[in-house]
Amino acid sequence: MNAQQPALQGQRQFISGNEAVAQAARDAGCKVAAAYPGTPSTEILEFIAQYPEMYTEWSINEKVSLEVAIGASLAGSRSLCAMKHVGVNVASDALMTQTLIGAVGGLVLIVADDVGLSSSQNEQDSRYWGRFAHIPLLEPSDAQEAYEMTRIAFGLSEQYDVPVMVRLTTRICHVKGVVVTDQPEQHTAKGFEKDPARFVMVPGNAKNRLPLMMERDKVLAQATLDHPLNRIEEGSDSSIGFVTSGAVYYHIKEAYPDAPIYKLGFSHPAPIEGIRRFAESVDKLIVAEEVEPLLETELRAAGIEVYGKDLLPRIGELAPQVLTPCIDKLLGKETDADLIPTTQVFPRPPTMCVACPHLGIYYCLSHVKNTIIAGDIGCYTLGAGHPWNALDTTISMGASLSVAQGLDKGRAEQDKNKNILAVIGDSTFLHMGMQGLLDITYNKGNVTILLLDNRAVGMTGGQDAPSSGKNIHGEETMQVDFRKLCEALGVKSERIHEVNPYELPTLFKALRTETKIKEPSVIITNQPCVLTERYGKLPPLKVEDDKCTGCSNCLDIGCPAILVTRRETVVKPNGKEKELAFVNIDTAACTGCNLCTGTCAPDAIVPAFNVNKINAIEVKS
């Protein structure tokens, strides 16, 4: 990303919630920021990396990023780590212990929940971590509050000696709004002071810290009651009142502008007694929260009568058109039909990019028989879709190898002769897949691993990883050698192969050979992501219409640059019908990877332009 000059204090900016968090970290005097890319949180660290006064790194996974931030906090510096909701699962081992240790320098964990599952495998509600880890939770409703609450979080962390979580959602992360920044702080690190009884969490020390954590919970519960981040907004219609937080606040303001609202910004510990008093001022109290009935359950347990998920859905965003029919029904009103959308957007299923190096891999896998294929998290998860249908499982980051080991060891009688394949990308392998490979080799598994090295974290925008040889600032650094790494993890050198995924015959041969070997083997593909600067385009291709037979073999590649122009049904000599699909190639999108040419029997796919002529024009210019 291009370097950007720091904004003038007090200047009005039109920025996203992610950028607002980045500016807040800078203005709060944060010294260290670490993250692992994950939508919708990725851009936070990308924006922070523009500020040279802060140390930033793409960590190998979320657990490491939190531990880096913890180390900086123990050194007395303010630190931040950012991750998406499922990343907290990976980081939780460190989080659940750090809550006992507390914080020295302000320690802020930014978590972005993907409400509506824009790009995630689940919709888990990160607010539970506030309760589970006994840490304060702040919930901004827009970009301005994302800026303000991130700055407040550093102060709360130091005031109460505790890590603080700021929970965003996709709508907060990516929607832009007007943000006015404030005067930056100068924070001086205290330095590391030895304190083994606090910092060395053996059982005896941890046991002594538990009462301190419980006492802190009581202090925080009292602090939320009168905290300015929690406020009551009066309304002229007291027939209903709302308790809410995050983006839902604005949805309620739009749908029910006259209703009183108890808006939570410092949402855990919840200000129960304040909400109790608010409930007495309205006829019906509705808890509108995304996505779990978390606060609703706490209020019911406190004896407060509320409506919640008995009215509202437990999945997706609570947009006005979702809220209104549910609440109007409670009030005995008819919903204005104009509020309910009647048109549906034409479906556009996700697919891989033109010339993606994974296309050839899934073309081959779609033609492999008698095989169970365990998939993983990344661009290559799309291999489960049309036209490949070449993945049988996808669970979590790094799971492909461990699941494949289980599929091998847990074979039923009818699967005893089937091949087991695991597919994983380079960044995901380094994130959490290496342990799975070691488990396979150590426990003598019979699994073939496809390690797709495109030298980037492709799904989240092509960020650098140890496979790229560059860090977040584009500086040259070490580049992992996957062949040596796999050998160090126990794979025999003769069972490790590097192949060009655009060479289909070579890839087919490697798959056929290695799946027959009854021991662990690794096939490493070695072409870069097409959206990065490492990829070199070739002259585009075209289809000669008079040669195209409509066989549609090229469509099995799944390249978005290949377009169907017409279809027709013919009757074969044996009386069976066959559908023909005639195609052309979008030359503006085509990068000349030549995958499709290997599937075209009549050789109808040819260079779109005279290459020699193009080169002559380039020389002349």
Side-chain angles (χ1 to χ4, degrees):
M1 301 182 68
N2 294 327
Q4 135 182 333
Q5 296 297 320
L8 298 174
Q9 303 309 313
Q11 179 183 13
R12 291 166 60 87
Q13 304 173 77
F14 191 62
I15 59 176
S16 68
N18 280 347
E19 186 171 1
V21 168
Q23 291 197 20
R26 176 203 62 193
D27 292 348
C30 179
K31 185 174 183 179
V32 172
Y36 180 80
T39 305
S41 68
T42 304
E43 298 85 3
I44 293 172
L45 198 72
E46 290 181 326
F47 283 120
I48 291 178
Q50 298 172 8
Y51 305 128
E53 61 268 37
M54 297 173 63
Y55 170 79
T56 53
E57 72 168 43
W58 285 130
S59 301
I60 203 70
N61 63 31
E62 293 87 357
K63 179 176 183 289
V64 172
S65 75
L66 178 56
E67 290 162 348
V68 168
I70 286 171
S73 171
L74 297 183
S77 294
R78 287 187 166 181
S79 61
L80 173 148
C81 68
M83 60 193 67
K84 67 184 294 178
H85 59 302
V86 289
V88 190
N89 303 332
V90 180
S92 61
D93 190 17
L95 176 63
M96 296 302 293
T97 299
Q98 194 61 32
T99 188
L100 292 173
I101 294 173
V104 181
L107 176 56
V108 176
L109 171 59
I110 308 291
V111 179
D113 280 10
D114 191 9
V115 178
L117 293 94
S118 302
S119 58
S120 305
Q121 64 269 42
N122 67 44
E123 200 185 23
Q124 72 187 51
D125 191 331
S126 294
R127 295 178 303 151
Y128 278 105
W129 289 108
R131 279 74 173 173
F132 193 24
H134 299 266
I135 59 176
L137 179 67
L138 307 185
E139 291 189 74
S141 294
D142 58 15
Q144 179 68 53
E145 288 190 354
Y147 174 83
E148 294 169 356
M149 290 189 190
T150 300
R151 292 197 62 171
I152 290 170
F154 284 102
L156 286 176
S157 176
E158 292 168 351
Q159 180 181 356
Y160 295 105
D161 186 22
V162 63
V164 176
M165 178 182 287
V166 179
R167 187 234 191 183
L168 311 178
T169 61
T170 302
R171 189 166 292 273
I172 307 299
C173 291
H174 290 161
V175 171
K176 292 188 175 183
V178 175
V179 174
V180 179
T181 58
D182 204 350
Q183 189 69 27
E185 301 174 51
Q186 298 296 325
H187 183 268
T188 303
K190 300 176 183 178
F192 181 77
E193 297 180 5
K194 291 180 180 291
D195 188 354
R198 177 183 177 188
F199 298 154
V200 181
M201 279 294 97
V202 294
N205 290 340
K207 181 171 62 177
N208 294 331
R209 299 291 298 180
L210 282 169
L212 300 176
M213 182 183 73
M214 302 302 177
E215 185 60 32
R216 185 182 68 207
D217 286 349
K218 294 178 183 178
V219 173
L220 287 168
Q222 188 63 37
T224 61
L225 280 174
D226 301 314
H227 200 279
L229 292 181
N230 299 329
R231 67 176 187 266
I232 295 175
E233 295 187 0
E234 303 291 347
S236 59
D237 181 6
S238 61
S239 62
I240 53 169
F242 293 90
V243 180
T244 193
S245 60
V248 190
Y249 164 74
Y250 283 106
H251 297 326
I252 290 170
K253 293 285 285 185
E254 180 179 342
Y256 295 94
D258 298 325
I261 298 175
Y262 198 119
K263 183 187 183 304
L264 299 175
F266 192 164
S267 66
H268 175 73
I272 301 293
E273 294 307 313
I275 296 173
R276 190 190 305 277
R277 292 191 294 271
F278 176 71
E280 294 170 354
S281 68
V282 297
D283 297 338
K284 294 181 174 67
L285 182 62
I286 299 170
V287 181
E289 51 189 331
E290 293 173 344
V291 286
E292 298 284 352
L294 181 53
L295 180 60
E296 173 190 344
T297 301
E298 292 178 341
L299 294 178
R300 289 184 191 276
I304 302 173
E305 185 177 345
V306 298
Y307 296 89
K309 296 304 182 182
D310 47 349
L311 292 177
L312 304 173
R314 290 184 63 166
I315 59 175
E317 292 186 298
L318 297 181
Q321 64 267 26
V322 175
L323 288 167
T324 305
C326 301
I327 296 170
D328 282 359
K329 185 176 180 181
L330 173 69
L331 299 176
K333 296 168 54 179
E334 289 190 10
T335 303
D336 186 346
D338 291 337
L339 293 175
I340 310 301
T342 56
T343 57
Q344 296 294 322
V345 176
F346 187 80
R348 295 182 62 194
T351 190
M352 297 184 202
C353 299
V354 172
C356 174
H358 303 335
L359 291 173
I361 294 158
Y362 281 113
Y363 175 81
C364 293
L365 290 178
S366 67
H367 289 81
V368 169
K369 306 299 181 185
N370 199 40
T371 301
I372 302 173
I373 305 172
D376 223 297
I377 304 296
C379 297
Y380 45 89
T381 311
L382 297 169
H386 182 78
W388 314 282
N389 304 312
L391 287 183
D392 298 310
T393 71
T394 299
I395 311 298
S396 60
M397 289 194 73
S400 61
L401 287 88
S402 310
V403 168
Q405 171 74 346
L407 287 166
D408 175 35
K409 299 303 183 182
R411 292 172 188 265
E413 182 63 23
Q414 60 266 35
D415 297 329
K416 66 179 182 180
N417 295 320
K418 290 185 178 179
N419 303 315
I420 307 294
L421 270 167
V423 182
I424 191 167
D426 54 317
S427 178
T428 308
F429 180 75
L430 297 171
H431 174 281
M432 199 58 77
M434 293 185 286
Q435 298 90 331
L437 179 56
L438 182 58
D439 188 71
I440 290 170
T441 56
Y442 176 69
N443 291 298
K444 300 181 178 181
N446 179 16
V447 177
T448 302
I449 295 97
L450 269 169
L451 204 172
L452 314 183
D453 179 15
N454 64 4
R455 303 182 190 117
V457 191
M459 181 64 100
T460 53
Q463 289 77 23
D464 285 304
S467 55
S468 71
K470 294 185 178 181
N471 64 17
I472 190 172
H473 303 290
E475 300 165 340
E476 297 290 334
T477 183
M478 60 76 64
Q479 184 173 15
V480 68
D481 185 326
F482 282 110
R483 175 180 282 276
K484 290 182 179 179
L485 180 55
C486 290
E487 191 172 352
L489 291 170
V491 184
K492 295 178 182 178
S493 60
E494 63 268 24
R495 297 272 68 82
I496 303 172
H497 306 276
E498 293 184 48
V499 299
N500 183 339
Y502 295 114
E503 297 176 0
L504 297 183
T506 305
L507 188 52
F508 264 124
K509 182 180 179 181
L511 283 169
R512 283 196 303 266
T513 301
E514 293 309 314
T515 52
K516 291 177 182 177
I517 304 297
K518 303 304 179 183
E519 60 180 309
S521 59
V522 178
I523 301 170
I524 305 168
T525 62
N526 59 7
Q527 293 299 310
C529 172
V530 298
L531 299 183
T532 65
E533 61 185 14
R534 302 175 188 88
Y535 181 77
K537 293 183 179 181
L538 296 172
L541 304 170
K542 69 176 182 178
V543 176
E544 293 190 335
D545 294 337
D546 58 339
K547 290 185 179 180
C548 181
T549 62
C551 70
S552 72
N553 288 341
C554 59
L555 294 176
D556 290 343
I557 290 290
C559 180
I562 304 174
L563 309 172
V564 176
T565 56
R566 64 185 175 92
R567 298 181 186 271
E568 65 179 65
T569 302
V570 297
V571 180
K572 298 169 68 176
N574 61 6
K576 291 185 178 181
E577 291 186 346
K578 180 180 180 180
E579 185 180 76
L580 302 179
F582 297 88
V583 303
N584 67 17
I585 293 175
D586 182 351
T587 56
C590 178
T591 65
C593 72
N594 285 306
L595 275 173
C596 55
T597 59
T599 69
C600 184
D603 295 328
I605 301 175
V606 297
F609 308 109
N610 185 314
V611 178
N612 292 329
K613 183 177 180 180
I614 292 174
N615 291 337
I617 293 173
E618 289 176 347
V619 170
K620 184 178 179 180
S621 61

